[in-house]
């Protein structure tokens, strides 16, 4: 009855049961088919199976909704009862006097002149409603070895997560860094990580490429609007890590699915690791040792959760707590272990590439309190049978009170929380994309732009000859209202044909701001000076009618400036400090972001101008010595003899 759902293909077993009284043989055959599809489980059939292509992961033809609904199970029982006992439930229902008194409308004829609702033209021509679901447009990478990391930003508006193709990244709550991260294009070795260790063989690997940096037999990273998926295969173990941000709470969820493809049972230790910060990232970068001193940790044994609190330094500081929980859906070996002391976890002289607690098979020390270098680390050991899969879910959240922290710990200490939040975050991603009126291709470009803002790329920066001309400092930006504390993206416009680039950059600024990435967008009008300022007026109109009008000339907002009102030295300064420079006349935004860097020409191979000439060394005559042995002093040799 509802328009626009003809593209969705979802099969529910209770629908087959409802058809059983009419077509019993076909219903039985369909139940058998559903059983072969894996729908039959311990508590009878699962809720449904989804065949909608746009909602499925890459390489999958269906997805089983592994849930049970009591009323749908009741529908199945009543339908089968009607089949076996000749519609007994219908006869019982109509035997009630109250129902019999209202049966007369059921005997009315269907009117012939009822108004018809005609389908849309596209439904008639194609037979299906072509409805693009943008949230499932996925970027897939098969390696982490790239000149600059590719990133995916996930956010619910307050809590943001950035993940790179190597598995590194950050977690932020508004302007507060939840985990420690540094901009490091070379190593890309900061973020939240998960270690895995085979108890029997002692083999150690990580859920992503980092932090161990080990090559896998198969490595694949998939970025989509609602989640990040990292899959790798090491020997007979396949690991799939899915990362989402909860749309309900300020929390992130990382589910690690470990599949044992070997013919024997395996015991796998799964250990999380993240450095807790709970202050703005700039304050932590300025003095990380001092920042660590204000954090206290505790462990809640009922929820298997670590809780960290930052002590307030002044009355104006808002209280903040961080929570880290673990949940499993399989057999575990032993109790959950925990660690909050980074020195104990890594060991003396070690780093996160070879932590002592993982490499040397040491149990976690279960240390909490006011440690010098706080971390979150939880460990569990799971037993996985041949060709079985175990899921371990790690959740990290922030709260404003201890009571709220315990409430979140209780909520996310549930292995089924990922499925629920995953469905909600997918719906939220659809709403956001339609609200911003952004196509999937544009979102892909904006995420590529974010990668170049976080990890500067030479292809989008000013040329070296421009950088060499700069003679000013960051404080010289202040007269233009630009603080320079946040990354700067510079857009150069000099003609009306470049206006689409300006519009797209405004959309990118709004989109990335919603994803938690704050930067200054500076639009520089290079139109030659004249009496008519039509281009400047049009740029002003575009900015004021966009969703960013409230951010004009504010930190992390929009700055519209004219080149004829800026000195050449200040213009060079802007191009020097900008992490990304977009030149409108070179093409559209896609051409700018995806173009390759211009490699500098290498010098010509060295060619010797003349042949090598020998330089003879003068020979010194050896003096006549007594008892000469050819080595050392003859007099000393004679005395020794």
């Amino acid at each position: 009855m509802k328009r626009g759902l003809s593209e969705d293909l979802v099969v529910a077993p209770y629908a087959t049961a409802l058809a059983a009284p009419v077509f019993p043989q076909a219903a039985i055959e369909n139940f058998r088919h559903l059983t072969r599809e894996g729908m039959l489980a311990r508590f009878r059939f699962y809720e449904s199976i989804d065949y909608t292509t746009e909602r499925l992961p890459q390489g999958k033809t269906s997805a089983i909704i592994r849930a049970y609904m009591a009323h749908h199970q009741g529908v199945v029982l009543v339908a089968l009862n009607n089949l076996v006992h000749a519609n007994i439930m219908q006869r019982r229902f109509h035997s009630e006097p109250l129902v019999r008194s209202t049966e007369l409308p059921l005997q009315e004829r269907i009117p012939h002149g009822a108004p018809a609702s005609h389908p849309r033209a596209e439904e008639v021509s194609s037979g299906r409603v072509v409805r693009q679901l943008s949230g499932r447009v996925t970027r897939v990478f098969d390696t982490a070895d790239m000149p600059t990391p590719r990133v995916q930003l996930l956010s619910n508006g307050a809590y943001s997560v950035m993940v790179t193709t190597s598995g590194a990244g950050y977690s932020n709550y508004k302007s507060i860094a939840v985990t420690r991260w540094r901009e490091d294009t070379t190593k890309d070795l900061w973020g939240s990580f998960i270690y895995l260790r085979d108890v029997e063989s002692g083999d150690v690997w990580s859920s992503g490429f980092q932090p161990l940096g080990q090559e896998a037999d198969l490595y694949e990273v998939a970025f989509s609007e609602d989640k990040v998926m990292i899959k790798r295969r090491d020997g007979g173990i396949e690991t799939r890590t899915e990362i989402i941000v909860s749309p309900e709470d300020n929390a992130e969820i990382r589910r690690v699915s470990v599949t044992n493809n070997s013919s024997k049972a395996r015991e796998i230790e799964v250990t999380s690791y993240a450095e807790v910060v709970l202050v703005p990232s700039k304050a932590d970068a300025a003095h990380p040792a001092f920042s660590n001193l204000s954090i206290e940790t505790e462990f809640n044994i009922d929820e298997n959760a670590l809780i960290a609190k930052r002590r307030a330094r002044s009355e104006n500081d808002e209280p903040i707590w961080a929570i880290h929980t673990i949940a499993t859906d399989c057999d575990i070996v032993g109790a959950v272990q925990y660690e909050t002391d980074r020195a104990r976890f890594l060991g003396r002289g070690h780093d996160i590439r070879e932590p002592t607690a993982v490499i040397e098979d040491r149990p976690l020390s279960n240390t909490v309190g006011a440690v010098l270098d706080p971390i979150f680390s939880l460990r569990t050991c799971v037993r996985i049978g041949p060709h079985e899969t175990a899921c371990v879910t790690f959740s990290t959240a922030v709260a404003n009170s201890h009571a709220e922290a315990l409430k979140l710990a209780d909520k996310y200490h549930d292995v089924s929380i990922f499925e629920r939040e995953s469905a909600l975050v997918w719906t939220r991603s659809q709403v956001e994309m339609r609200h911003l009126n952004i196509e999937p291709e544009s979102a892909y470009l904006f995420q590529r732009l974010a990668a170049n803002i976080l990890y500067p790329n030479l292809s989008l920066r000013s040329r070296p000859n421009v950088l060499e001309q700069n003679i000013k400092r960051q404080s010289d930006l202040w007269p233009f209202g630009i603080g320079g504390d946040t990354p700067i993206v510079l857009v150069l416009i000099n003609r009306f044909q470049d206006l689409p680039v300006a519009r797209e950059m405004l959309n990118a600024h709004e989109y990335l701001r919603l994803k938690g990435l704050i930067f200054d967008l500076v639009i520089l009008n290079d139109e030659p000076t004249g009496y008519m300022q039509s281009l400047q007026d049009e740029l002003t109109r575009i900015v004021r009618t966009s969703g960013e009008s409230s951010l004009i000339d504010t930190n992390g907002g929009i700055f519209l400036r004219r080149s004829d009102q800026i000195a050449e030295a200040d213009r060079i300064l802007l191009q020097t400090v900008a992490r990304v420079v977009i030149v409108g006349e070179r093409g559209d935004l896609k051409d700018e972001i995806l173009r390759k860097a211009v490699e500098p020409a290498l010098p010509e191979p060295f060619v010797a101008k003349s042949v090598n000439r020998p330089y003879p060394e003068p020979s010194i005559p050896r003096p006549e010595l007594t008892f000469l042995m050819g080595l050392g002093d003859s007099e000393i040799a004679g005395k020794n003899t």
Side-chain angles (χ1 to χ4, degrees):
M1 293 297 181
K2 185 178 180 181
R3 294 280 182 86
L5 296 180
S6 58
E7 190 182 57
D8 295 345
L9 181 56
V10 180
V11 177
Y14 70 85
T16 300
L18 288 173
V22 183
F23 301 104
Q25 199 62 37
I28 292 174
E29 183 58 34
N30 202 51
F31 275 131
R32 291 171 179 167
H33 180 76
L34 291 173
T35 303
R36 291 192 295 269
E37 290 286 318
M39 288 289 290
L40 188 60
R42 179 182 178 186
F43 301 107
R44 301 298 88 189
F45 287 98
Y46 283 124
E47 173 61 20
S48 61
I49 182 169
D50 193 351
Y51 292 95
T52 308
T53 306
E54 291 82 357
R55 288 199 291 262
L56 297 176
Q58 188 175 13
K60 299 291 185 180
T61 58
S62 63
I64 297 177
I65 310 303
R66 302 180 185 274
Y68 303 97
M69 291 191 179
H71 61 289
H72 288 166
Q73 299 293 333
V75 168
V76 174
L77 291 175
V78 172
L80 296 180
N81 192 19
N82 284 334
L83 171 63
V84 176
H85 296 101
N87 295 330
I88 185 173
M89 296 303 296
Q90 294 181 16
R91 288 188 278 111
R92 287 174 177 173
F93 179 74
H94 287 280
S95 65
E96 288 289 330
L98 182 63
V99 176
R100 295 180 62 183
S101 65
T102 58
E103 282 184 346
L104 188 60
L106 299 178
Q107 302 175 12
E108 294 182 359
R109 290 185 177 183
I110 299 177
H112 295 285
S117 178
H118 299 285
R120 295 195 298 267
E122 62 268 23
E123 290 181 330
V124 176
S125 60
S126 65
R128 305 177 70 201
V129 179
V130 181
R131 181 165 54 94
Q132 178 64 47
L133 299 176
S134 57
R136 285 299 182 189
V137 175
T138 305
R139 296 179 289 157
V140 180
F141 306 89
D142 59 1
T143 180
D145 185 13
M146 298 181 182
T148 56
R150 301 290 187 266
V151 308
Q152 180 69 24
L153 294 171
L154 306 173
S155 178
N156 61 9
Y159 194 100
S160 305
V161 172
M162 184 273 288
V163 184
T164 70
T165 48
S166 67
Y170 62 69
S171 300
N172 288 347
Y173 170 63
K174 297 181 179 179
S175 61
I176 296 175
V178 180
T179 59
R180 183 166 287 121
W181 178 80
R182 299 287 185 268
E183 174 193 316
D184 190 343
T185 306
T186 304
K187 291 184 178 181
D188 192 24
L189 199 59
W190 299 86
S192 301
F193 302 110
I194 298 173
Y195 299 90
L196 297 101
R197 180 181 176 275
D198 191 321
V199 175
E200 181 179 354
S201 65
D203 294 337
V204 178
W205 66 99
S206 51
S207 62
F209 181 74
Q210 295 291 13
L212 298 182
Q214 294 178 350
E215 294 291 341
D217 300 333
L218 170 69
Y219 189 79
E220 184 177 284
V221 181
F223 289 159
S224 58
E225 280 297 308
D226 56 332
K227 71 177 180 179
V228 171
M229 190 274 292
I230 303 175
K231 183 171 66 175
R232 61 179 294 160
R233 186 169 62 242
D234 300 84
I237 300 295
E238 182 176 298
T239 307
R240 186 176 73 251
T241 305
E242 299 167 279
I243 306 171
I244 63 173
V245 174
S246 170
E248 296 180 310
D249 307 299
N250 297 316
E252 63 177 286
I253 310 174
R254 298 173 184 250
R255 184 175 69 175
V256 184
S257 304
V258 186
T259 303
N260 179 12
N261 293 324
S262 63
S263 58
K264 64 177 182 178
R266 310 280 284 271
E267 291 185 4
I268 305 296
E269 283 185 349
V270 185
T271 307
S272 64
Y273 174 87
E275 300 179 19
V276 188
V277 179
L278 299 182
V279 292
S281 57
K282 292 181 180 179
D284 177 66
H287 206 318
F290 179 76
S291 173
N292 291 333
L293 296 178
S294 300
I295 293 181
E296 294 181 356
T297 59
E298 64 179 272
F299 181 72
N300 187 293
I301 192 172
D302 295 330
E303 310 297 347
N304 284 334
L306 286 171
I307 301 176
K309 173 193 175 183
R310 170 164 289 280
R311 297 192 301 271
R313 296 174 56 189
S314 66
E315 297 179 354
N316 297 327
D317 290 348
E318 295 184 1
I320 184 168
W321 277 259
I323 309 97
H324 187 57
T325 66
I326 184 174
T328 58
D329 69 344
C330 59
D331 296 334
I332 63 173
V333 181
V336 172
Q337 303 175 30
Y338 55 91
E339 180 64 80
T340 61
D341 189 346
R342 180 173 177 267
R344 293 177 181 268
F345 185 87
L346 298 183
R348 185 172 183 177
H350 292 256
D351 58 12
I352 60 175
R353 288 185 178 272
E354 47 177 7
T356 303
V358 178
I359 301 297
E360 298 184 5
D361 187 23
R362 293 186 181 181
L364 301 184
S365 67
N366 296 347
T367 300
V368 293
V371 296
L372 293 179
D373 201 347
I375 64 169
F376 275 159
S377 181
L378 292 172
R379 172 185 291 174
T380 187
C381 183
V382 296
R383 181 182 288 111
I384 312 174
H387 307 289
E388 292 184 354
T389 299
C391 293
V392 181
T393 304
F394 295 97
S395 301
T396 304
V398 294
N400 295 322
S401 66
H402 190 264
E404 183 183 355
L406 292 177
K407 182 179 178 181
L408 290 175
D410 178 66
K411 177 179 179 179
Y412 287 91
H413 179 54
D414 182 2
V415 71
S416 63
I417 191 66
F418 183 88
E419 294 292 346
R420 179 180 183 278
E421 297 297 325
S422 180
L424 292 176
V425 74
W426 182 83
T427 303
R428 179 186 174 92
S429 67
Q430 302 301 302
V431 174
E432 286 181 354
M433 295 286 285
R434 293 176 185 176
H435 169 70
L436 298 175
N437 195 23
I438 293 177
E439 297 296 328
E441 293 77 10
S442 298
Y444 162 71
L445 287 178
F446 299 162
Q447 293 282 357
R448 285 291 301 270
L449 176 64
N452 291 303
I453 295 174
L454 294 169
Y455 298 94
N457 189 350
L458 292 178
S459 64
L460 292 178
R461 294 210 63 193
S462 300
R463 302 274 72 85
N465 62 325
V466 176
L467 303 180
E468 293 173 356
Q469 300 177 34
N470 181 50
I471 58 175
K472 292 198 170 188
R473 300 169 297 178
Q474 174 186 337
S475 58
D476 294 314
L477 293 172
W478 297 349
F480 305 104
I482 303 173
D485 295 329
T486 57
I488 295 176
V489 175
L490 178 63
V491 182
L492 303 178
I493 302 293
N494 63 3
R495 55 182 184 172
F496 273 91
Q497 291 85 341
D498 302 337
L499 291 177
V501 176
R503 291 191 184 94
E504 202 160 7
M505 284 303 302
L506 288 171
N507 291 337
H509 188 270
E510 184 178 9
Y511 171 84
L512 294 179
R513 187 178 181 87
L514 191 63
K515 296 294 183 181
L517 180 59
I518 307 300
F519 64 94
D520 292 332
L521 177 60
V522 181
I523 302 176
L524 194 59
N525 181 8
D526 281 341
E527 184 185 29
T529 306
Y531 180 76
M532 299 294 293
Q533 300 182 10
S534 53
L535 181 58
Q536 181 70 14
D537 295 339
E538 185 63 20
L539 284 171
T540 303
R541 186 192 67 80
I542 291 174
V543 172
R544 293 193 179 279
T545 56
S546 68
E548 303 282 275
S549 58
S550 61
L551 300 175
I552 297 177
D553 292 343
T554 62
N555 185 32
I558 312 297
F559 300 87
L560 181 58
R561 300 291 182 266
R562 290 183 58 89
S563 292
D564 56 2
Q565 299 177 0
I566 298 178
E568 182 63 21
D570 295 325
R571 177 187 170 90
I572 294 175
L573 173 62
L574 275 174
Q575 297 186 52
T576 301
V577 299
R579 296 200 170 199
V580 175
V581 178
I582 303 295
V583 182
E585 63 181 4
R586 288 198 299 226
D588 57 14
L589 185 61
K590 180 179 180 180
D591 295 336
E592 281 287 273
I593 294 179
L594 301 184
R595 66 188 176 93
K596 296 182 179 180
V598 179
E599 298 290 342
L602 298 176
E604 295 293 334
F606 174 76
V607 178
K609 299 299 182 180
S610 60
V611 298
N612 293 333
R613 293 182 298 174
Y615 294 91
E617 296 182 1
S619 59
I620 302 175
R622 179 175 293 176
E624 294 294 336
L625 299 174
T626 308
F627 304 113
L628 178 62
M629 297 184 299
L631 297 173
D633 191 347
S634 60
E635 294 183 1
I636 296 177
K639 292 177 181 179
N640 291 337
T641 302

